[in-house]
Amino acid sequence: MALAPLAERLRPQQLDDYIGQEHLVGEKGVFRKFFETGNVPSFILWGPPGVGKTTLAKIVATQLERPFFTLSAVTSGVKDVREVIESAKRQRFFDQRAPFLFIDEIHRFNKSQQDSLLGAVEQGVFTLIGATTENPSFEVISPLLSRCQVYILRSLEEEDLQKLLDRALQKDTELQRREIEVKETAALFRFSGGDARKLLNILDIVVGATDGKVVITDQYVTDCLQQNIALYDKQGEQHYDVISAFIKSVRGSDPNAAIYYLARMLAGGEEPRFIARRLVILASEDIGLANPNALLLANACFDTVHKIGMPEARITLAETTIYLATSPKSNSAYMAINKALALVEKDTTNRPVPLHLRNAPTKLMAEAGYAAGYKYAHDYENHFAELEFLPESLSGTRFYEPDLQNAAEQKIAERIKTLWKGKY
């Protein structure tokens, strides 16, 4: 029989054995009050991987001695949700206390799957416990979120990691069979990144890498983990932290930082096409009219990455990243469309299009004045004829404001000013 991973062998069964999250499980923490009163609302645990979300959910159910149903948002559909709801209803028939339904990675449930939970939560068929690495404000539908408390779990501190390491060495029977000496812990804790599961997995790796006595030093840990541990988790919260740093480095015109975060993503196995898509967005949002060639290069990069794949795609991604980072920046197009959308979304007057801008395909429409007075720009000097193009009530409204801090848009501003004689 295969031995369970160390992280599973050491999973605590009661709150007193739980390490970390003192703000929730400490003497005055809300989870202590759950056990004192027995009153537990539906709640969502939000935090990075490996900080004890699943463990905390199981402890609540175990210590309160209630039935515990589980679903994985990765593999479960609406049919599975309905089956669990029916099981929970049958359970309530025999037991007045609501069972718990734990949904791991609840942010992966789509709207229809989340909708299917609403009625059962409202009726108290079960108490919902969700776990997510993503901000529930964005990933959980509002009606469901409003019926749940959200508790934030934090990455483990070094003190917590030390306690976890000590417990593993003192309590785990398999580790006790080995002679293990811990001389240094800096690398262990650095590679774990505040993730308890990762720390215990690393310990499993370094102990299993040799027979006989194990002497844990920073160098030994580093050597053991050369290919075994990914410092970048493309499925977890760090995915969003690193891509955010990458985007902000390009926007901030720092090619060195941008290349560093690009390397972090590639080394961690990020999908190159995802990075290429972000570069296309950056070219439009942050460089825009200051250097329109940026969008052409980003699109070429996107196509190239699709055609050639890794490892060669890293060169194209690097070239485009450096080009975008070192380009002049302008978000004028981004701001213009946002400003226009903001007006359109709240504007309920359905402003009529000026008659001279409308087509007149029928005689009746022509007689009604459609297209009358329209001037074909190419018939006039400089291909410009002064007309009112906005609805009359919006005449003179500015959505696009040229960014005068870059040469390209200075020319645009000068041309607009000359053509429109100060109107814009």
Side-chain angles (χ1 to χ4, degrees), residues 86-366:
E86 289 305 312
S87 298
K89 284 179 178 177
R90 289 194 293 272
Q91 186 70 44
R92 287 299 303 269
F93 182 78
F94 298 104
D95 191 334
Q96 292 302 308
R97 297 170 303 173
F100 291 106
L101 171 60
F102 176 69
I103 302 179
D104 196 15
E105 298 189 84
I106 194 170
H107 60 275
R108 293 179 181 267
F109 260 7
N110 60 33
K111 184 179 183 300
S112 64
Q113 290 169 314
Q114 293 186 37
D115 280 337
S116 67
L117 296 167
L118 267 178
V121 173
E122 289 174 339
Q123 297 161 22
V125 173
F126 53 70
T127 299
L128 175 66
I129 304 177
T132 177
T133 56
E134 313 302 336
N135 188 331
S137 300
F138 304 128
E139 305 296 341
V140 179
I141 60 172
S142 296
L144 189 58
L145 189 60
S146 68
R147 290 163 175 79
C148 298
Q149 297 292 321
V150 176
Y151 300 114
I152 301 174
L153 281 72
R154 304 164 185 159
S155 295
L156 298 189
E157 302 288 343
E158 190 168 304
E159 179 183 347
D160 299 323
L161 295 173
Q162 184 65 59
K163 288 180 184 176
L164 187 61
L165 176 63
D166 293 341
R167 176 177 294 173
L169 296 173
Q170 295 165 10
K171 302 279 187 180
D172 185 70
T173 55
E174 294 302 318
L175 294 182
Q176 287 175 343
R177 299 177 199 271
R178 303 291 304 275
E179 187 180 356
I180 302 171
E181 181 183 357
V182 180
K183 285 191 173 182
E184 296 172 316
T185 58
L188 270 177
F189 296 163
R190 184 176 72 252
F191 283 119
S192 70
D195 181 327
R197 187 186 308 112
K198 194 172 282 187
L199 173 65
L200 296 176
N201 287 344
I202 291 170
L203 189 57
D204 249 348
I205 290 168
V206 298
V207 170
T210 185
D211 295 324
K213 183 176 180 178
V214 180
V215 179
I216 296 178
T217 64
D218 292 344
Q219 187 60 54
Y220 177 63
V221 170
T222 303
D223 291 343
C224 286
L225 299 184
Q226 283 178 355
Q227 300 298 327
N228 292 356
I229 219 70
L231 301 185
Y232 171 83
D233 178 9
K234 65 179 179 178
Q235 298 300 326
E237 184 175 278
Q238 199 174 68
H239 163 87
Y240 297 98
D241 292 343
V242 175
I243 190 63
S244 175
F246 173 70
I247 291 166
K248 288 169 183 172
S249 298
V250 174
R251 180 181 298 144
S253 299
D254 187 337
N256 295 301
I259 282 291
Y260 165 72
Y261 290 117
L262 174 63
R264 283 271 300 267
M265 291 187 288
L266 293 176
E270 180 57 83
E271 169 58 63
R273 289 172 294 184
F274 171 81
I275 303 171
R277 283 193 296 271
R278 291 305 318 180
L279 289 170
V280 172
I281 296 167
L282 273 164
S284 293
E285 180 179 339
D286 294 298
I287 296 166
L289 294 166
N291 179 11
N293 285 332
L295 183 57
L296 299 178
L297 183 64
N299 266 308
C301 171
F302 185 79
D303 290 340
T304 303
V305 168
H306 272 68
K307 289 173 184 173
I308 67 174
M310 289 293 283
E312 290 81 3
R314 77 192 190 284
I315 307 166
T316 309
L317 289 167
E319 176 188 353
T320 309
T321 295
I322 293 169
Y323 184 83
L324 298 191
T326 56
S327 282
K329 303 297 189 293
S330 171
N331 69 343
S332 60
Y334 170 78
M335 297 299 289
I337 187 59
N338 285 354
K339 188 175 179 181
L341 284 170
L343 184 143
V344 169
E345 286 169 2
K346 70 179 182 182
D347 189 17
T348 58
T349 57
N350 194 24
R351 301 175 193 269
V353 173
L355 286 175
H356 59 270
L357 297 183
R358 304 185 195 186
N359 288 327
T362 69
K363 182 180 178 182
L364 179 63
M365 295 170 79

